[in-house]
Amino acid sequence: DTAVSQTPKYLVTQMGNDKSIKCEQNLGHDTMYWYKQDSKKFLKIMFSYNNKELIINETVPNRFSPKSPDKAHLNLHINSLELGDSAVYFCASSQEAGTYGYTFGSGTRLTVV
Amino acid sequence: KQEVTQIPAALSVPEGENLVLNCSFTDSAIYNLQWFRQDPGKGLTSLLLIQSSQREQTSGRLNASLDKSSGRSTLYIAASQPGDSATYLCAARKTDKLIFGTGTRLQVFP
């Protein structure tokens, strides 16, 4: 199936830990994104990568570090997790050209206790 | 800075009604506008994508219109069904960013 897949689906961890979320797309898109959905269900962009190059960094704390080994993968590593990091994180992909729509993964629900 | 607002925030209707969900955006220089559906605890499903040069798009019982000059889009749902219950999100794309609206939570009861 052509899709954006992210793992894990659920992640429960203690404050202070470091964790990673992985994302892969097989749609042949050249741009990938991380979005955060907060407790009020509002979706906000965090990062954008185009062909492994960081394009957008929306004033996210530097505890969050995205890494793109190739244009089909975009991982999100979070250091020193805090309670406020609890949210649902969505990976998405699109083509750089503005006429394309976005395809989203199913999300990773991160709970920091 | 692009801001996207959706009205109403929540809607509860009996089955069979025709519905209109509204989306407004402050910066009309968009590439396209995309409507999504999100079921509780689930990901985002793309419903319709309207390019900036288009006026509307249709898929089954769904019809989305776009008026770029006034900064508005509407999602029309015909003959609503309980299975349509979900949160509907509109999102405006400019350059590399997709900016989301605040969402409309729809409940259709039998």
Side-chain angles (χ1 to χ4, degrees), chain A residues 88-102:
Chain A
V88 181
Y89 293 85
F90 285 98
C91 178
S93 72
S94 180
Q95 287 293 91
E96 184 181 16
T99 56
Y100 285 80
Y102 282 47

Side-chain angles (χ1 to χ4, degrees), chain A residues 31-86:
Chain A
T31 308
M32 296 184 72
Y33 311 83
W34 280 108
Y35 276 78
K36 179 180 180 180
Q37 187 171 42
D38 60 25
S39 57
K40 295 183 179 180
K41 308 298 183 187
F42 187 67
L43 274 152
K44 188 174 179 182
I45 189 168
M46 299 173 67
F47 299 104
S48 164
Y49 266 76
N50 178 262
N51 279 319
K52 303 190 296 177
E53 184 178 340
L54 181 65
I55 302 298
I56 295 173
N57 180 341
E58 286 288 300
T59 60
V60 176
N62 58 16
R63 297 183 296 103
F64 290 77
S65 54
K67 285 192 171 49
S68 181
D70 56 60
K71 76 172 192 177
H73 295 83
L74 179 62
N75 303 322
L76 183 65
H77 188 75
I78 315 171
N79 290 327
S80 304
L81 278 155
E82 301 176 356
L83 292 176
D85 297 332
S86 296

Side-chain angles (χ1 to χ4, degrees), chain B residues 3 10-11 13-15 17-18 31-32 37 43-45 52 59 63 68 76 82 87 89 97-98 100 107:
Chain B
E3 292 184 3
L11 189 59
V13 300
E15 182 176 9
E17 282 205 1
N18 300 324
Y31 288 162
N32 56 47
R37 166 184 173 142
L44 280 73
T45 301
S52 61
S59 176
N63 175 278
K68 226 177 67 158
Y76 177 82
T87 295
L89 296 160
K97 289 186 186 181
L98 191 66
F100 278 87
Q107 183 181 8

